[in-house]
Amino acid sequence: MNPVLRDVDERAQLAGTNKFELLVFRLGTDAHSGSRELFGINVFKVREALVMPRITPMPGAPQHVLGVANIRGQILPVIDLPAVVGCAVEERNILLVTEYERSVQGFAVEDVDEIVRLEWSRVLSAEGAAVGGLVTSLARLDEDEETSRLALVLDVEQILRQVLPSRFRNGDELSVQSVVKIPPGSVILYADDSGVARHQIEKALTALGLPFIATKTGREAWDRLLELASAAKAAGVPIRNRVALVLTDLEMPEMDGFTLTRKIKENESLRDLPVVIHSSLSGSANEAHAHGVGADGYVAKFSPDDLARAVVRAIAP
């Protein structure tokens, strides 16, 4: 077996503040361009990679679901990832078993190429790049910016809601009824690079009656916070009169949520801001690391009630 596959579980434990590992794979030939592009997802999301097991077709399965696989006693739906992104492929050789938002599923792919350790600064937002709604960012795999290969980092949250909508919540199910008071003129500033996640967050914050500012990367959030801190200082008011709370994803182009949180807590003007990390990266190790960089809360995606409780708890501890 390819040694890359044997190493996925072990290397998925990597924890850092501004680095991550990208699992790079291929999905076949693009139906329109005829090219064979590289795709990627964060190794943290991959439980394991297997030579394709037996797939049992299921009558009435959703489009792009090949069937189910029995992985050590757990029955998982298997999503045909080449078909989702519009690639033609002869063989689906590898099954990526992934965990997103407390749900486990398999993605059928053509083959795995490599695992690349990257700085988040080498991952660029795909917003406005005309690469389609299923791609959140573009990762430069090599050091030379001009000649580097690019990997398309998939918006798995969007794909899962498109293929298996019944498994995931969209923000309408908020049952927590809380009155949250923040200073007049203050807002929740949140950062998330996924369009579907931003939609969910905004529904939950709106249901709580909380105004918000949306940002799409850690870098954008940081720049906006510095602007707000400068405005608060000029007005002679505390930063909490401008920002009541920062809500941040972990995986984002340019600057990750760990780094954003650490920078906030190290900055004299911003350190009093409560920060809640909101991520599909579950697990005690990530939660412990979040608290290690100063986060005031950690909530796994996506439960509207859990998010509401975390926000309320951080604003009014």
Side-chain angles (χ1 to χ4, degrees):
M1 182 186 294
N2 187 325
V4 169
L5 306 185
R6 292 196 299 268
D7 289 344
V8 166
D9 269 347
E10 175 183 325
R11 300 180 75 179
Q13 303 306 311
L14 176 70
T17 56
N18 204 37
K19 291 184 179 180
F20 76 112
E21 287 189 329
L22 189 72
L23 179 65
V24 180
F25 54 91
R26 294 188 186 271
L27 298 176
T29 303
D30 183 88
H32 300 292
S33 68
S35 60
R36 297 185 72 252
E37 302 298 339
L38 294 170
F39 294 85
I41 59 175
N42 193 329
V43 170
F44 272 117
K45 303 289 185 67
V46 182
R47 282 192 172 186
E48 57 185 320
L50 307 169
V51 172
M52 186 62 68
R54 181 177 181 273
I55 305 298
T56 301
M58 297 291 287
Q63 184 183 19
H64 302 321
V65 174
L66 296 173
V68 297
N70 184 350
I71 307 299
R72 284 181 289 283
Q74 186 174 11
I75 306 302
L76 305 179
V78 177
I79 297 170
D80 186 354
L81 202 51
V84 171
V85 302
C87 287
V89 62
E90 294 184 5
E91 296 289 341
R92 296 160 179 81
N93 299 305
I94 302 298
L95 182 70
L96 303 180
V97 179
T98 66
E99 182 172 4
Y100 280 82
E101 299 189 24
R102 317 176 199 203
S103 175
V104 181
Q105 53 281 310
F107 288 112
V109 305
E110 181 185 31
D111 212 348
V112 168
D113 265 41
E114 60 183 318
I115 293 174
V116 183
R117 185 172 297 188
L118 299 173
E119 295 275 353
W120 277 108
S121 59
R122 283 167 56 183
V123 181
L124 309 176
S125 175
E127 291 278 342
V131 293
L134 298 182
V135 175
T136 62
S137 51
L138 303 167
R140 292 196 300 259
L141 302 181
D142 308 301
E143 293 288 347
D144 191 312
E145 292 187 11
E146 294 186 4
T147 62
S148 177
R149 298 166 298 154
L150 293 178
L152 306 177
V153 181
L154 292 171
D155 187 343
V156 179
E157 295 170 39
Q158 176 65 37
I159 291 171
L160 290 175
R161 280 170 176 76
Q162 177 178 306
V163 178
L164 298 171
S166 63
R167 279 193 162 209
F168 300 92
R169 299 180 174 183
N170 60 23
D172 293 326
E173 309 87 348
L174 186 67
S175 61
V176 172
Q177 300 297 321
S178 299
V179 176
V180 189
K181 293 184 178 180
I182 61 176
S186 187
V187 299
I188 308 299
L189 187 144
Y190 82 81
D192 202 300
D193 66 324
S194 168
V196 68
R198 293 195 296 271
H199 183 65
Q200 294 168 332
I201 291 166
E202 291 180 8
K203 281 190 173 183
L205 294 178
T206 299
L208 289 171
L210 294 171
F212 54 82
I213 293 175
T215 61
K216 299 173 184 176
T217 73
R219 173 62 64 185
E220 183 185 354
W222 175 246
D223 291 344
R224 193 64 184 272
L225 284 168
L226 293 180
E227 292 174 3
L228 291 165
S230 178
K233 183 177 181 179
V237 298
I239 184 62
R240 294 286 292 269
N241 283 34
R242 293 291 183 264
V243 182
L245 175 136
V246 176
L247 180 68
T248 179
D249 190 15
L250 284 183
E251 302 173 277
M252 294 180 290
E254 301 175 353
M255 182 190 294
D256 70 0
F258 285 135
T259 303
L260 174 62
T261 302
R262 190 185 70 249
K263 288 173 74 70
I264 290 170
K265 295 302 183 178
E266 291 176 348
N267 184 280
E268 184 176 354
S269 300
L270 299 172
R271 63 177 53 152
D272 290 336
L273 290 179
V275 179
V276 172
I277 289 178
H278 181 229
S279 175
S280 55
L281 291 176
S282 56
S284 58
N286 287 310
E287 187 167 354
H289 193 69
H291 291 301
V293 295
D296 300 277
Y298 187 100
V299 59
K301 290 180 178 177
F302 180 74
S303 163
D305 285 340
D306 288 350
L307 176 59
R309 291 188 189 99
V311 167
V312 171
R313 190 181 305 118
I315 290 175

